[in-house]
Amino acid sequence: MANQNILLIEDDGIARIAAEKCIQCGTCSASCPLNRYMDYTPRQIVALVREGLVEEALKTKTIWLCSTCYLCAVRCPAKINIGEFMTALKRFALKNGYSNSLLYPKLMKTYVEYVNKYGRVSEPRLMVSFSLKTNPLKLLKMLPISIRLLKNGELSISLEKVQNLEEIKF
Amino acid sequence: MDNRIGVYICHCGLNISSTVDVQKLTEFAQGLEGVVVARNYPYMCSDPGQELIKKDIKEHGLTNVVVASCSPTMHGPTFQRVCEEAGLNPYMFQMVNIREHVSWVTDDVEKATEKAKLLVAAAVNRVKFHEPLGKIHVPLTQSVLIVGGGITGIETALKLANSGKKVYLVEKEPSIGGRMAQLEKTFPTLDCASCILTPKMVDVASNPNITILAYSEVKEVSGYIGNYKVKVVKKPRHVDESKCIGCGLCATKCPSKVPDEFNMGLSFRKAIYLLFPQAIPRKYTIDREHCFYFTKGICRVCERFCPTRAINFEQKPEEIILEVGAIILSTGYDIFDPSVIKRYGYGVYKNVYTGLEVERLTSASGPTNGRVILRDGRTPSTIVVIHCVGSRDENYHVYCSRVCCMYAMKLAHLIKERVPNSTVYELYIDIRAHGKGYEEFYRRVQEEGVIFIRGKAAEITEAENGKLIVVFEDTLLGRVQQIEADMVVLATALEARKDVKELARLFNIPVDKDGFFLEKHPKLAPVSTVNRGVFVAGACQGPKDIPDSVAQGAAAAAEALALLSQGSVEAEPVIAEVNKNLCSGCRICVSVCPYNAAVFDRETKTASVQDVLCQGCGTCVASCPSGARTLRQRGFTDRQILAEIEAILPKKLVTIEKAIAEA
Amino acid sequence: MDTAERRLNGKHLSFYPGCSCSKNGTARRYGSSSIAVLKALGIEVSEINDWNCCGSNLYRIIDERGSYFLGARNLSKALEMGLPEILILCPACFLSLNRTLTEISRNTNLKNEIAKKYRVLGGPAVSRLRIRHIIDFLVNDVGEEDVKNRVVKRLEGLKVAAYYGCQITRPYGYFDDPEFPTSLERLISWIGGQPIESNLKTKCCGGMLMLTNEEEVLNVIESILRSYVKSGAECIVTACPLCHLNLEIGRARLSGRVGLDENFPIIYFTQLIGLSFNIPVEELGLGKDDVGRITEKVRLTATVKGV
Ligand SMILES: Cc1cc2nc3c(=O)[nH]c(=O)nc-3n(C[C@H](O)[C@H](O)[C@H](O)COP(=O)(O)OP(=O)(O)OC[C@H]3O[C@@H](n4cnc5c(N)ncnc54)[C@H](O)[C@@H]3O)c2cc1C
Ligand code: SF4
Ligand code: SF4
Ligand code: SF4
Ligand code: SF4
């Protein structure tokens, strides 16, 4: 039980999502567009965390499958924002060294590196560098679509950048 | 006379003493000017606690008593009585709330104790200026008004009438009976609702002590406890009640068809109608909104066929003035409208029903004569009942509606009974079967083959073949599932009536956060209200089943009897009074008094306050331009209030002065 | 018309394009068509000076505090420009900046820290900040009369299905129902189109997960596309760069499986409005194929109607 509060108040003092009042109704699980692929249902993640089995929750596939679409959040009868809860768990997992082998954290890291370096992201570049890091083969698969997008003017490889980069160091 | 004050500090078990240092507080009180004795005790309100005070009053010759404990709402009168019994005028007493105002709002012992000290000091200072007041006696009218003729109102009326009181039963619909009249069978015993309700309705109609004012509404209430004057308006039925014999010939001939509200719109009635076959009074009513004569100016067919010439298109609303000593509200509840939960598709998918609609479908006298069939005439084979629709949901009602689990299971039983080969699922979050025989009923329905699944439906969609797809998580399996159903039944919440705020204003009582009438105390005064002559009973006080409603009805009847049997009633002397010598006769107080208690005397050209009418609200006192000595509030004089403020402020004032000086 | 014009005339908002809708972003056409449509309606927008990444959910997972600083810098720039009403197209940016604003007003510690770096955000001007999604602005500020008055070519009878995606109305979508919004349908009908309903219109497209969980996301998109195919829509309009990209990928990869024509028009709703305003297709970033398909349908329906 001891770990539970770590999820409620983080060290930066920003208030977290209180999930204590969940009534375990399963509305969130049954609403989730990705529920079929999850190893635990969203409701079970809440139950795990409440019972202090935080580590088990952090190791699930579920938290990385949440796309933060907030359908659960607007339906939950206890008004718990499960999407945000999942976001907090993702952050907590990363901080504590869980799940780093998954693709998602790699994507985020690539993203954050880009933003910190240029202040903006150039999506095509992001995708390319992410794919190079993870699965270069995929780039080939994407080629037909990319060509079409290029033709339509949807792909541009020019770099977007903030002029005053000093202002985004904090 | 020198004040000899006793101060009594209550621990309230640990409620106060775990946060307020009661020992320190007692020592502090002991040191206050005028205090002769200060004590603390675990439960001041207990018998030994009360004895302690009485003994001190006598032995120390106390002139004033201060009790620091809980809210005066509950025990203020208790301690006043203690003073009285020991020979002290009860108004020489002051109560300090160091529980709700101190110990329950903080965990900080030091700050709590400091605040308690200030409040006690203020009370001690104030009580020095108290003066003995005498109670006022008011006579009581020996009759009762009951508003709402559902099962609660009916039971209450019968109890009171049988004990010899005159009862007026006001019902806004054309018939009494309420929601229970719409039910088929009642859980957990499955008695037929009409079979137990109808005889009661007949008893009401035949009881000489009861006057039924159906199709009527209360418009105005004036007066005070024991002496209310109530204006009731009887809406025109356009059928002369004294002539109508209830033959129904008019309705068979009437050309205007209207969706039948009693059958939840699942069938049609005529513009001239009886609410339901067993209606009491058995008098037909013309629904003006749908009558061709009233909307288009032609028809009058009913008039031609009525054998007793009872139809009267000219009938006007009728005003009736009632004089009663007590009022009981039993206005019941409304059904939550589930169409606001769009993802359930109620009102869009025709095979999604509410519980009350299915109640009518299963009723032998209902639109299908008790056959469970869909709107297109098919018999459903897979039925899903969804619990907690609009209840236990912060987006709608946080509370549990208490009866829906049970009625959902009752409907499952009835559906199984009418469609034996059907598969019935109950999607529940928790089964709340709290009453006598209720858990047994749950077991019984399980044994009958109803399938219970723990999980709330997330959404309902309609497939191309017209089947309803219900998606949910079976939370005990941890798996998201779906059921293809022919029919979905929503166990909708019970909610407060739409017009509850107006009623509350009319009768001058508060409503709770959910809109139900607020009782005086949830445990110890469940049918009383802060307005002493007004009582509440049944589902208007909160969601309730029939056994609980009836019990409350009986309780309200007993409360009303207890009040009326006193013959006269004591009124609080904490009211306003005018000093005639100083009154300039400006009449401002007369215009602001919400209770019409302030009146102007043409002869002396001064105002005065009628004791029994004044509620002590203080509005006039604040409005008097000639100041506090002219119009003052007994028990809340300027001197008393300033004394209280002085005891609290000085220290702060000193620091403010210091701060100014330093700056 | 007169009153609406007076109300909106000279209305000037700041514009936050975000990485996707900016000049080099994948949704540049969403950006350019939006600006063109607003201009046609007499509304001026100025791009926020030197804006930066909104501090999206992706960033927030790694560095929450940093994400608020990123958002706050954009807000401060808008305030410095004297244009506290910020127009946004991308739902993810809309969500991030809304969240930043909510956090700033709720969390004083955070606010003070942020105000140290971006001073305007410490002052009272913050209360004037408004984060507006373009749908909200077009439906509720511009309104029916003005939109209808600008239409040159009514898209009579064109069956248009809107796909909102998730984050426009959730959790900050105070301008419409979180699950069953109707704003886009209203806009479609104002330009003459026939709105087609789908009950999956706010179901999630899978978003960024396309990069990490391709198979799962393609399944999700498949069910969405199927529902649109079934609905008989002739054109799908989107309002989110990521939804748009995912639907396009879905169209390319799944068209055979779901019975969707490879050239089926999936365009931004602002492009469709622009078309009805008769704005040059280059400005709208519309390909010849799409324009052809759409106008063909319009004509077809019109002739059928005329018979
Ligand atoms: C679908 C369903 C099934 C149920 N099944 C059961 C069951 O099997 N067993 C059981 O124990 N309970 C059951 N209940 C609960 C039951 O209906 C209530 O307990 C009961 O009706 C409460 O009675 P009441 O008189 O307090 O209120 P109501 O029945 O609501 O009666 C209130 C009356 O007051 C009248 N009224 C309202 N406002 C005014 C006004 N301003 N002036 C004058 N008159 C007014 C109304 O017209 C009505 O006649 C069920 C409820 C539902 C929804
Ligand atoms: S919807 Fe809300 S209350 Fe229900 S299980 Fe999910 S988090 Fe808990
Ligand atoms: S926010 Fe996450 S958990 Fe909730 S429904 Fe969307 S994807 Fe599922
Ligand atoms: S006058 Fe009205 S109530 Fe009478 S028969 Fe005609 S429509 Fe019916
Ligand atoms: S009684 Fe049962 S169905 Fe009704 S609100 Fe309570 S738990 Fe839900």
Side-chain angles (χ1 to χ4, degrees):
Chain A
M1 296 280 168
N3 279 344
Q4 165 181 348
N5 283 335
I6 300 175
L7 287 165
L8 304 178
I9 306 287
E10 290 217 327
D11 37 12
D12 54 7
I14 294 162
R16 282 291 121 249
I17 318 306
E20 298 97 325
K21 54 179 183 164
C22 166
I23 54 172
Q24 290 286 302
C25 70
T27 303
C28 49
S29 313
S31 303
C32 181
L34 289 138
N35 54 22
R36 271 183 294 167
Y37 312 104
M38 292 173 165
D39 46 358
Y40 288 72
T41 66
R43 174 192 58 84
Q44 288 174 321
I45 301 290
V46 178
L48 283 175
V49 172
R50 272 204 317 203
E51 284 173 38
L53 305 171
V54 180
E55 199 179 343
E56 192 174 337
L58 298 181
K59 286 179 179 162
T60 60
K61 279 207 314 217
T62 299
I63 61 172
W64 301 104
L65 272 166
C66 167
S67 66
T68 53
C69 75
Y70 302 110
L71 191 54
C72 49
V74 298
R75 288 182 174 179
C76 171
K79 281 202 172 162
I80 296 168
N81 191 333
I82 293 296
E84 283 299 287
F85 186 67
M86 296 288 187
T87 305
L89 285 170
K90 285 178 195 161
R91 180 166 40 249
F92 196 59
L94 279 188
K95 265 196 192 153
N96 292 280
Y98 293 94
S99 315
N100 274 327
S101 61
L102 284 177
L103 288 176
Y104 199 90
K106 287 219 175 92
L107 172 65
M108 288 185 308
K109 285 198 173 132
T110 320
Y111 182 91
V112 170
E113 277 162 22
Y114 252 94
V115 174
N116 288 347
K117 203 152 147 206
Y118 302 113
R120 298 182 190 171
V121 286
S122 311
E123 286 156 339
R125 284 176 167 240
L126 173 70
M127 287 181 213
V128 172
S129 57
F130 169 67
S131 304
L132 284 176
K133 274 191 206 167
T134 51
N135 181 3
L137 266 182
K138 203 158 138 197
L139 275 180
L140 279 179
K141 251 196 335 197
M142 297 286 276
L143 212 56
I145 303 166
S146 314
I147 290 171
R148 189 193 159 109
L149 293 176
L150 262 174
K151 209 175 71 196
N152 280 342
E154 249 156 311
L155 278 195
S156 158
I157 36 169
S158 39
L159 186 70
E160 285 258 0
K161 190 171 160 180
V162 162
Q163 287 153 19
N164 194 344
L165 280 168
E166 261 318 294
E167 280 182 21
I168 58 157
K169 302 267 173 294
F170 10 80
Chain B
M1 185 181 77
D2 274 353
N3 291 95
R4 299 180 59 77
I5 305 171
V7 179
Y8 300 89
I9 291 145
C10 182
H11 301 190
C12 193
L14 288 173
N15 274 306
I16 292 173
S17 60
S18 65
T19 322
V20 173
D21 186 333
V22 286
Q23 200 49 47
K24 269 203 194 128
L25 186 59
T26 314
E27 285 158 20
F28 167 81
Q30 190 79 61
L32 291 168
E33 196 190 319
V35 173
V36 180
V37 49
R39 300 183 195 278
N40 61 65
Y41 192 75
Y43 291 100
M44 221 62 234
C45 60
S46 67
D47 250 3
Q50 296 186 20
E51 279 312 314
L52 204 71
I53 302 178
K54 284 187 200 165
K55 207 165 135 238
D56 279 355
I57 293 177
K58 289 179 192 144
E59 284 179 6
H60 294 277
L62 298 183
T63 60
N64 301 84
V65 169
V66 170
V67 175
S69 56
C70 49
S71 154
T73 327
M74 186 70 212
H75 282 307
T78 310
F79 295 117
Q80 281 190 317
R81 204 199 56 239
V82 168
C83 293
E84 205 169 6
E85 282 170 8
L88 189 64
N89 184 287
Y91 294 91
M92 303 306 278
F93 155 83
Q94 178 68 11
M95 190 147 171
V96 189
N97 185 354
I98 57 168
R99 192 178 70 183
E100 283 87 339
H101 289 179
V102 181
S103 69
W104 279 359
V105 293
T106 179
D107 296 324
D108 187 327
V109 173
E110 203 167 308
K111 282 191 183 146
T113 311
E114 274 320 300
K115 180 172 176 190
K117 280 182 186 171
L118 285 180
L119 293 180
V120 168
V124 166
N125 226 24
R126 178 194 216 277
V127 86
K128 292 175 191 163
F129 298 95
H130 278 201
E131 51 202 4
L133 300 175
K135 293 255 185 192
I136 300 161
H137 290 270
V138 189
L140 287 161
T141 310
Q142 296 295 315
S143 57
V144 181
L145 166 71
I146 299 175
V147 186
I151 182 61
T152 310
I154 289 173
E155 276 294 329
T156 315
L158 288 172
K159 294 254 150 44
L160 285 165
N162 290 339
S163 53
K165 300 294 171 205
K166 176 74 203 152
V167 176
Y168 301 97
L169 181 56
V170 173
E171 166 59 55
K172 73 168 185 210
E173 297 296 332
S175 167
I176 57 170
R179 295 276 181 220
M180 187 175 169
Q182 290 177 284
L183 309 181
E184 161 62 2
K185 289 183 176 175
T186 52
F187 62 74
T189 44
L190 297 176
D191 320 71
C192 143
S194 314
C195 312
I196 52 177
L197 177 67
T198 316
K200 297 254 178 210
M201 289 166 57
V202 174
D203 287 352
V204 169
S206 59
N207 194 308
N209 278 338
I210 303 177
T211 305
I212 301 179
L213 294 166
Y215 213 41
S216 304
E217 277 173 55
V218 176
K219 290 292 175 202
E220 260 176 52
V221 182
S222 59
Y224 46 93
I225 178 171
N227 296 277
Y228 293 103
K229 229 190 206 129
V230 181
K231 190 204 277 178
V232 176
V233 172
K234 208 164 163 21
K235 294 173 274 188
R237 282 182 195 263
H238 298 295
V239 171
D240 188 333
E241 284 194 22
S242 63
K243 289 186 187 156
C244 177
I245 50 170
C247 68
L249 212 55
C250 51
T252 55
K253 302 294 178 188
C254 172
S256 173
K257 277 179 137 193
V258 186
D260 186 339
E261 59 275 69
F262 188 79
N263 282 336
M264 307 307 290
L266 293 168
S267 65
F268 290 92
R269 62 161 169 82
K270 296 296 181 61
I272 184 160
Y273 70 112
L274 205 56
L275 192 59
F276 54 99
Q278 302 83 10
I280 300 272
R282 194 179 164 74
K283 306 291 170 192
Y284 277 72
T285 308
I286 293 183
D287 164 2
R288 290 174 61 121
E289 267 171 46
H290 296 99
C291 163
F292 290 155
Y293 176 67
F294 282 110
T295 54
K296 302 194 179 113
I298 43 156
C299 186
R300 298 179 85 125
V301 168
C302 45
E303 194 178 35
R304 264 193 284 141
F305 282 92
C306 178
T308 63
R309 300 182 169 278
I311 311 288
N312 174 5
F313 292 104
E314 313 309 319
Q315 211 175 49
K316 295 272 166 303
E318 190 189 337
E319 265 185 22
I320 301 164
I321 305 287
L322 305 174
E323 290 191 356
V324 295
I327 295 171
I328 296 170
L329 301 180
S330 52
T331 50
Y333 63 96
D334 265 341
I335 303 284
F336 168 78
D337 172 9
S339 65
V340 302
I341 309 181
K342 294 206 182 102
R343 60 181 194 271
Y344 286 167
Y346 177 78
V348 178
Y349 309 138
K350 58 186 186 315
N351 294 333
V352 179
Y353 290 81
T354 66
L356 202 54
E357 285 168 349
V358 178
E359 199 76 56
R360 292 314 297 150
L361 280 185
T362 56
S363 165
S365 61
T368 57
N369 300 324
R371 285 183 308 143
V372 176
I373 48 172
L374 299 170
R375 287 186 168 90
D376 61 7
R378 282 185 307 124
T379 305
S381 57
T382 305
I383 298 101
V384 178
V385 185
I386 298 176
H387 286 224
C388 301
V389 177
S391 314
R392 305 184 64 196
D393 188 330
E394 290 185 27
N395 301 294
Y396 309 102
H397 298 304
V398 186
Y399 57 80
C400 163
S401 291
R402 290 182 85 227
V403 295
C404 16
C405 270
M406 290 304 295
Y407 84 59
M409 294 193 276
K410 175 188 70 178
L411 291 175
H413 160 86
L414 289 173
I415 292 170
K416 272 263 179 207
E417 184 183 274
R418 309 290 156 89
V419 191
N421 292 324
S422 60
T423 314
V424 184
Y425 297 93
E426 297 263 337
L427 291 186
Y428 69 96
I429 311 176
D430 300 290
I431 292 289
R432 305 229 156 135
H434 56 281
K436 187 164 167 175
Y438 288 15
E439 182 69 16
E440 292 85 334
F441 185 73
Y442 172 26
R443 299 278 166 87
R444 168 180 172 173
V445 176
Q446 278 182 312
E447 279 165 17
E448 287 169 356
V450 173
I451 302 163
F452 285 79
I453 301 175
R454 192 190 176 285
K456 183 163 174 149
E459 62 187 32
I460 300 170
T461 50
E462 201 176 46
E464 261 163 288
N465 60 6
K467 296 253 185 192
L468 296 166
I469 315 287
V470 185
V471 187
F472 58 91
E473 181 189 10
D474 181 327
T475 59
L476 300 179
L477 289 180
R479 202 181 292 160
V480 175
Q481 308 271 54
Q482 57 183 46
I483 298 176
E484 260 194 31
D486 302 301
M487 181 189 209
V488 169
V489 185
L490 306 177
T492 46
L494 278 61
E495 63 183 21
R497 291 239 174 222
K498 312 254 166 327
D499 60 354
V500 69
K501 292 242 164 68
E502 289 144 53
L503 277 181
R505 210 173 307 124
L506 201 57
F507 293 99
N508 210 357
I509 59 171
V511 294
D512 64 23
K513 65 179 190 340
D514 301 313
F516 293 103
F517 293 135
L518 185 63
E519 66 287 340
K520 189 169 177 197
H521 190 281
K523 288 155 225 160
L524 302 177
V527 297
S528 307
T529 68
V530 288
N531 191 343
R532 283 194 303 150
V534 178
F535 305 94
V536 292
C540 62
Q541 180 260 354
K544 239 172 240 80
D545 55 18
I546 297 166
D548 286 0
S549 298
V550 168
Q552 276 208 337
E559 289 277 10
L561 281 176
L563 172 67
L564 296 189
S565 62
Q566 290 171 17
S568 74
V569 66
E570 279 183 354
E572 273 297 320
V574 180
I575 54 172
E577 69 186 346
V578 178
N579 183 337
K580 294 230 167 212
N581 298 328
L582 296 176
C583 174
S584 68
C586 73
R587 303 191 213 186
I588 288 179
C589 53
V590 179
S591 67
V592 298
C593 176
Y595 304 98
N596 300 327
V599 290
F600 185 69
D601 181 349
R602 281 181 198 288
E603 292 202 349
T604 59
K605 297 218 168 24
T606 55
S608 64
V609 174
Q610 288 177 283
D611 286 1
V612 290
L613 288 181
C614 175
Q615 303 290 310
C617 71
T619 310
C620 60
V621 179
S623 75
C624 178
S626 329
R629 278 184 302 147
T630 312
L631 187 46
R632 64 174 213 147
Q633 174 96 340
R634 294 186 207 143
F636 285 91
T637 63
D638 281 11
R639 191 68 209 96
Q640 290 165 356
I641 294 170
L642 286 174
E644 222 172 337
I645 296 173
E646 277 159 15
I648 293 178
L649 277 190
K651 273 178 244 136
K652 288 211 180 117
L653 280 181
V654 170
T655 47
I656 293 169
E657 276 161 19
K658 226 165 80 186
I660 294 170
E662 277 167 12
Chain C
M1 155 90 205
D2 277 327
T3 48
E5 187 145 24
R6 236 179 292 124
R7 182 163 52 84
L8 284 169
N9 223 359
K11 178 104 189 181
H12 192 173
L13 293 89
S14 55
F15 174 57
Y16 178 78
C19 303
S20 305
C21 304
S22 95
K23 291 173 198 74
N24 296 315
T26 48
R28 65 174 72 168
R29 301 176 306 167
Y30 189 10
S32 67
S33 60
S34 296
I35 293 175
V37 163
L38 290 167
K39 207 169 98 195
L41 289 164
I43 291 137
E44 204 183 330
V45 291
S46 304
E47 188 166 316
I48 293 180
N49 296 329
D50 198 30
W51 54 269
N52 55 267
C53 163
C54 64
S56 73
N57 266 350
L58 268 188
Y59 196 100
R60 208 160 61 92
I61 290 167
I62 301 247
D63 178 2
E64 177 166 35
R65 189 176 155 278
S67 80
Y68 297 135
F69 274 77
L70 280 173
R73 179 170 176 273
N74 295 316
L75 299 181
S76 73
K77 298 258 169 204
L79 276 184
E80 280 160 9
M81 289 164 71
L83 298 172
E85 194 161 357
I86 306 174
L87 194 84
I88 301 190
L89 313 179
C90 169
C93 304
F94 176 64
L95 174 70
S96 298
L97 293 193
N98 257 317
R99 188 194 318 283
T100 303
L101 191 58
T102 316
E103 283 305 325
I104 290 179
S105 37
R106 176 166 76 190
N107 184 336
T108 2
N109 287 344
L110 182 72
K111 180 177 175 161
N112 293 341
E113 234 184 290
I114 283 178
K116 270 187 224 146
K117 190 149 175 84
Y118 309 116
R119 301 204 61 148
V120 267
L121 295 177
V126 185
S127 64
R128 288 170 48 224
L129 281 167
R130 297 278 177 280
I131 319 283
R132 303 291 304 273
H133 192 269
I134 185 166
I135 297 181
D136 173 22
F137 183 74
L138 287 178
V139 172
N140 297 316
D141 286 27
V142 177
E144 178 167 1
E145 234 178 87
D146 266 25
V147 171
K148 279 186 169 167
N149 277 327
R150 290 290 182 283
V151 173
V152 179
K153 288 197 284 191
R154 271 177 74 81
L155 304 174
E156 204 59 65
L158 180 70
K159 292 183 181 159
V160 187
Y163 179 60
Y164 292 77
C166 52
Q167 292 180 341
I168 294 182
T169 53
R170 294 192 298 261
Y172 291 110
Y174 33 73
F175 62 91
D176 210 334
D177 188 280
E179 274 190 65
F180 302 94
T182 52
S183 298
L184 279 178
E185 281 76 6
R186 288 165 68 196
L187 276 169
I188 292 167
S189 71
W190 295 348
I191 58 173
Q194 180 190 337
I196 300 289
E197 276 296 326
S198 155
N199 57 2
L200 298 183
K201 66 186 179 186
T202 65
K203 279 275 155 72
C204 171
C205 70
M208 275 289 183
L209 293 176
M210 181 60 104
L211 289 170
T212 58
N213 302 65
E214 190 184 288
E215 198 192 318
E216 291 89 333
V217 171
L218 279 175
N219 278 334
V220 169
I221 293 177
E222 184 176 332
S223 63
I224 294 173
L225 285 179
R226 271 184 201 285
S227 91
Y228 280 91
V229 169
K230 219 169 62 189
S231 72
E234 293 160 344
C235 168
I236 298 178
V237 293
T238 59
C240 166
L242 206 53
C243 293
H244 193 89
L245 201 60
N246 279 355
L247 287 195
E248 288 215 328
I249 294 173
R251 181 178 58 186
R253 302 273 296 272
L254 308 162
S255 55
R257 269 209 343 247
V258 302
L260 188 74
D261 185 333
E262 251 183 85
N263 295 313
F264 185 86
I266 300 178
I267 63 173
Y268 291 104
F269 79 98
T270 43
Q271 292 179 297
L272 191 70
I273 297 179
L275 205 58
S276 77
F277 286 6
N278 213 10
I279 295 170
V281 288
E282 303 77 49
E283 255 180 84
L284 299 174
L286 269 176
K288 277 207 188 68
D289 286 358
D290 285 339
V291 177
R293 297 272 305 227
I294 291 169
T295 39
E296 172 196 358
K297 292 288 186 208
V298 173
R299 231 183 305 118
L300 205 68
T301 332
T303 22
V304 170
K305 267 194 168 172
V307 171

